[in-house]
Amino acid sequence: MGDWDLTRRGTVHILTMADDQNRIGQALLASWEEALDEVESAETPRALVTTGVDRFWSTGLDLDEVTGMSERERFSFMNRLDLLLGRILTAPFITVAALNGHTIAGGALLALAHDFRIMREDRGFMSLPSVDIGIPFTPGMSALIIAKVPQPAAHDLVVSCRQIGAQEAAKLGILHDLVPVDEVLPSAVDLATSLANKDPETLRTVKRRLYPEAASMLTP
């Protein structure tokens, strides 16, 4: 998995992203897909926590790679990203994003697809700067944002592209908890552990029914 590491601590799988700013390109998508394959094939009970290192969780698309793609390649890439978001959104196990730092654009979408988000309270921004980047969200991505971010905040963040800190994100209901930086991962693991013993197929079905529009657009 390159500069990524997937370990297991009791019932919880911990995916640690350590590839600079964890920009989303084809290699990163492959690492995510490989990690989800491994967790889905693991014995139950199980859960997944994802985190980064230093100041970054993920800063979104690898724009150098994506803008260098042909139109057909970019369409295929964005479809693959949609499918990844759908897998996380409807995963048959609990997912917790331990946000250690900046969570931007496509990285914010990956975080929103998780069941829960815990972020460090002292630094790090979230933003959805699709308009400023010039790459529009797919219909499925837009449905995911609307499903996970309350209005009128969703409209504000998408149209303005402004960055918000953890305190504001928590007030908007985007985050489930704010903790000191050294407690982000332990808190996420504790939460995931407490919820790991869920029936997989019932959990998947419930998630699909909670977010029917996003799930229908982001899954096969």
Side-chain angles (χ1 to χ4, degrees):
M1 299 179 65
D3 293 322
W4 288 28
D5 183 45
L6 183 66
T7 58
R8 184 161 185 167
R9 187 182 304 175
T11 59
V12 178
H13 296 259
I14 302 173
L15 175 62
T16 302
M17 303 180 285
D19 184 16
D20 190 22
Q21 297 183 27
N22 300 316
R23 296 185 179 94
I24 304 169
Q26 296 192 67
L28 184 144
L29 286 185
S31 293
W32 270 99
E33 291 161 351
E34 182 182 339
L36 291 176
D37 286 344
E38 184 169 337
V39 179
E40 285 190 19
S41 65
E43 62 182 19
T44 56
R46 64 193 174 190
L48 174 66
V49 168
T50 59
T51 193
V53 297
D54 194 25
R55 297 179 295 121
F56 303 103
W57 193 80
S58 173
T59 58
L61 296 182
D62 184 333
L63 294 177
D64 290 337
E65 180 178 341
V66 173
T67 56
M69 294 176 178
S70 67
E71 184 175 349
R72 177 176 296 183
E73 290 171 336
R74 187 183 300 181
F75 177 84
S76 176
F77 174 83
M78 296 302 285
N79 182 65
R80 190 175 167 193
L81 178 55
D82 269 357
L83 292 175
L84 173 61
L85 293 171
R87 285 188 71 180
I88 300 170
L89 180 67
T90 63
F93 45 83
I94 294 296
T95 58
V96 184
L99 304 176
N100 56 287
H102 300 309
T103 305
I104 297 170
L109 293 175
L110 289 173
L112 289 174
H114 286 64
D115 296 313
F116 302 97
R117 287 158 294 284
I118 297 175
M119 191 170 190
R120 61 186 293 180
E121 61 187 6
D122 61 325
R123 67 184 302 177
F125 293 103
M126 299 187 74
S127 67
L128 294 163
S130 171
V131 174
D132 286 350
I133 292 171
I135 301 177
F137 294 121
T138 67
M141 293 171 184
S142 297
L144 173 63
I145 294 168
I146 293 170
K148 294 298 187 84
V149 181
Q151 292 285 20
H155 178 91
D156 171 28
L157 295 178
V158 169
V159 172
S160 72
C161 304
R162 68 186 182 89
Q163 295 181 333
I164 60 173
Q167 300 290 338
E168 183 175 357
K171 290 179 180 178
L172 292 174
I174 298 171
L175 302 178
H176 297 84
D177 202 2
L178 299 178
V179 296
V181 61
D182 59 352
E183 296 179 20
V184 173
L185 183 57
S187 296
V189 171
D190 286 347
L191 177 59
T193 300
S194 71
L195 298 172
N197 193 20
K198 304 295 183 184
D199 179 72
E201 290 311 311
T202 302
L203 187 59
R204 190 199 300 270
T205 299
V206 165
K207 291 180 184 182
R208 292 186 67 93
R209 292 176 179 174
L210 277 173
Y211 309 109
E213 183 174 9
S216 66
M217 292 181 178
L218 294 171
T219 58

